[in-house]
Amino acid sequence: MDTQIRGDMFIGADAVAGTAGELHAIDPASGQTLDPVYRGATRDQLDRACALADDAFDSYRETAPDVRAAFLEAIADNIMALGDALIERAMAETGLPRPRLEGERGRTCGQLKLFAQVVRDGRHLDVRIDPALPDRQPQPRPDLRLRKIAIGPVAVFGASNFPLAFSVAGGDTASALAAGCPVVAKAHPAHPGTSELVGRAVRDAVAGAGLPEGVFSLVMDTGYEIGGALVTDPRIKAVGFTGSRRGGLALWRMAQDRPEPIPFYGEMSSINPVLLLPEALGARADAIARGFVQSLALGAGQFCTNPGLVLALAGEPLDRFVSTAAEALSALPAATMLTPGIADAYRAGVAAIAKSDAVETVARGQEGHAHSCQAALFVTDAPRFLAEHALQDEIFGAASLVVRCADLHEMRAVIDALEGQLTAAIHMDAGDHDAARTLLPRLERRVGRILVNGFGTGVEVAHAMVHGGPFPATSDPRTTSVGSLAIDRFLRPVAYQDLPDDLLAPALKEANPLGIERLVDGKRG
Ligand SMILES: NC(=O)C1=CN([C@@H]2O[C@H](COP(=O)(O)OP(=O)(O)OC[C@H]3O[C@@H](n4cnc5c(N)ncnc54)[C@H](O)[C@@H]3O)[C@@H](O)[C@H]2O)C=CC1
Ligand SMILES: O=C(O)CCC(=O)C(=O)O
């Protein structure tokens, strides 16, 4: 595998340098600029990437399941074949430690392989057949056959905080390619070298599988122009995004303001409430506090599943939780953040909340250098939390706010006032089940995943996973960006009425040559 980092993007099969402005990765640990220089794509280069994707669409979306599945597996193999060069470059560009990045690489490849299985299995096509009933009275029924087809070329915006699992060949790309959609990926400017390496791995897999070159392109942008032009290009039919609320909303608006508005799947901001129910808190406040701080500190807190809000009833057990958490958090070494901009945003967010009369600062982690995260823990009470909406704002980093509630009614009022969230964690013992039963319906209205006696960081890539939720956690609460159901975002149903068998796609033919599960006359088989 070619592990040279040259400053390239990929417009279909062509490795090219852009010419629009300059972009350098920065090692956030040292503040040093990393070679090589990258240049942004020109409008012409973007136009070619979108034209190639559009050209590739009709043949790629009808590839045989085995061909598409083997292609996804080849991407994973090519990523692994990049070996240490990929990990070292990602470490230099993100400040994330080796074990975390090796784990993330495993998750990325596992995700591609899961989607290969999904493609072979064929259930995502959701084939439904209502055979003709020519003798039905008073009207005959036509022959109706439904399958889901790929939605079209997809734009993917790589995230800064998961340079592999949510980036060039991350979940959005894997699910779009699995659905049969060509992808034009926009590299995150914080890790262009990592993006180039992974982009080449995908480009080579496209060629190896004999697929049209337009199945995948990777573009760089030194500002926002190319990202905006990508979302508004008429050949792009859906967008996957992970990043800030501001960036996500700006791009969402562009997607909706097009002459042809398109689905925009943005994962944006979440503070992931953690509920400490009385019996569990009384029994193990210290252990929960230590687990909480560990989860909060993961990746310098740069997880959208980070536990940014804790709700519990006021009293001695909560005081114990706060004091153990404060002690553990004070010992946390400062951790390098992904970019100087993210470190500045974290510092500003912490300063703003610390200044509020509504909260007390109970602990700060160790101080570090200019681009590091000094953890922070704050406390308030429910009336003050409810009165100051800004206390709900995501602070991207290892900061969290504990809200003391007078009773379960007040805890419920806080839950009801929350914006949409990716996760909610409930710490509970058997004696807490009655309380949990009353809170669950409120949580279901707010979040995409409810978990017990754990923390939301570290999403399992599985069939039953939901990594989504109401706004602002995501821009579309009906879907997930992690797990096999993510493929649904890039499919749309088409019904065929009375089409002759020889014109039907294999998935719909009477003889079921793919051997996939189908709903025939309302029955699974
Ligand atoms: N909740 C979450 O999952 C995450 C939240 N964040 C938040 O985002 C902040 C900044 O981090 P970034 O990762 O750089 O996110 P970002 O939203 O600024 O950028 C993400 C991507 O979108 C592009 N982009 C953003 N705004 C755009 C616009 N108006 N037009 C065209 N393209 C645009 C950027 O170039 C980049 O490729 C963090 O401080 C944090 O607050 C970051 C990563 C994950
Ligand atoms: O917690 C995880 O594993 C995923 C986090 C995530 O989706 C994000 O930070 O963007």
Side-chain angles (χ1 to χ4, degrees), residues 165-435:
F166 285 80
S167 200
V168 173
D172 286 346
T173 297
S175 51
L177 291 176
C181 301
V183 166
V184 180
K186 208 290 264 174
H188 195 284
H191 53 258
T194 307
S195 300
E196 179 188 347
L197 287 171
V198 175
R200 189 174 295 114
V202 183
R203 192 265 322 246
D204 290 353
V206 171
L211 296 171
E213 60 172 324
V215 165
F216 176 80
S217 289
L218 171 69
V219 295
M220 305 277 170
D221 190 4
T222 55
Y224 290 160
E225 188 194 335
I226 288 298
L230 176 58
V231 169
T232 50
D233 188 287
R235 291 157 294 198
I236 295 296
K237 300 299 181 195
V239 184
F241 169 94
T242 305
S244 68
R245 182 168 176 164
R246 195 164 73 169
L249 275 179
L251 291 166
W252 174 82
R253 278 193 199 98
M254 289 182 210
Q256 304 321 305
D257 286 348
R258 294 166 37 128
E260 179 197 0
I262 53 172
F264 181 89
Y265 301 109
E267 183 198 317
M268 296 172 293
S269 108
S270 183
I271 54 173
N272 308 299
V274 175
L275 277 53
L276 309 178
L277 297 190
E279 193 164 301
L281 189 60
R284 47 201 166 84
D286 298 311
I288 299 173
R290 285 189 287 270
F292 158 71
V293 170
Q294 225 170 34
S295 169
L296 185 68
L298 270 183
Q302 301 164 117
F303 275 53
C304 56
T305 44
N306 188 46
L309 186 72
V310 178
L311 310 181
L313 303 194
E316 186 280 327
L318 179 57
D319 295 344
R320 206 149 28 92
F321 169 88
V322 170
S323 100
T324 304
E327 195 184 315
L329 189 137
S330 318
L332 283 179
T336 300
M337 298 197 85
L338 294 158
T339 68
I342 286 176
D344 289 347
Y346 174 74
R347 206 163 297 117
V350 165
I353 188 172
K355 233 176 35 206
S356 162
D357 292 337
V359 308
E360 299 146 45
T361 305
V362 291
R364 293 301 311 266
Q366 305 282 302
E367 266 187 73
H369 58 78
H371 305 147
S372 59
C373 171
Q374 184 189 4
L377 185 63
F378 303 97
V379 173
T380 187
D381 57 35
R384 288 187 291 170
F385 181 82
L386 291 168
E388 197 167 323
H389 190 269
L391 296 180
Q392 287 200 36
D393 291 350
E394 180 188 59
I395 299 177
F396 195 61
S400 192
L401 174 63
V402 178
V403 180
R404 294 181 200 274
C405 304
D407 51 30
L408 285 172
H409 289 290
E410 217 171 59
M411 188 184 280
R412 211 161 63 187
V414 171
I415 293 168
D416 288 349
L418 290 179
E419 297 186 312
Q421 306 291 335
L422 292 170
T423 75
I426 313 178
H427 287 261
M428 63 183 182
D429 283 351
D432 293 315
H433 283 199
D434 284 345

Side-chain angles (χ1 to χ4, degrees), residues 64-130:
D66 271 340
V67 171
R68 203 183 302 162
F71 163 55
L72 294 169
E73 288 160 349
I75 299 174
D77 294 343
N78 287 355
I79 290 172
M80 289 312 294
L82 289 165
D84 230 31
L86 177 64
I87 299 297
E88 279 171 7
R89 181 70 188 195
M91 285 167 66
E93 289 185 332
T94 64
L96 293 170
R98 173 180 288 277
R100 147 69 197 268
L101 287 165
E102 287 178 347
E104 195 183 325
R105 178 178 58 183
R107 170 171 162 177
T108 308
C109 295
Q111 190 158 251
L112 285 156
K113 291 185 174 175
L114 176 77
F115 279 111
Q117 271 175 34
V118 167
V119 169
R120 286 201 175 94
D121 179 66
R123 255 177 294 184
H124 65 291
L125 299 172
D126 199 4
V127 171
R128 291 147 188 253
I129 298 176
D130 294 322

Side-chain angles (χ1 to χ4, degrees), residues 13-93:
D14 291 342
V16 294
T19 53
E22 287 195 3
L23 168 70
H24 272 282
I26 293 171
D27 178 342
S30 63
Q32 278 182 349
T33 295
L34 298 170
D35 282 334
V37 64
Y38 285 84
R39 295 179 201 282
T42 61
R43 288 293 194 116
D44 283 349
Q45 287 169 323
L46 179 68
D47 182 67
R48 184 165 148 70
C50 294
L52 286 172
D54 192 49
D55 286 350
F57 178 50
D58 280 328
S59 67
Y60 180 59
R61 72 189 176 86
E62 295 298 358
T63 40
D66 271 340
V67 171
R68 203 183 302 162
F71 163 55
L72 294 169
E73 288 160 349
I75 299 174
D77 294 343
N78 287 355
I79 290 172
M80 289 312 294
L82 289 165
D84 230 31
L86 177 64
I87 299 297
E88 279 171 7
R89 181 70 188 195
M91 285 167 66
E93 289 185 332

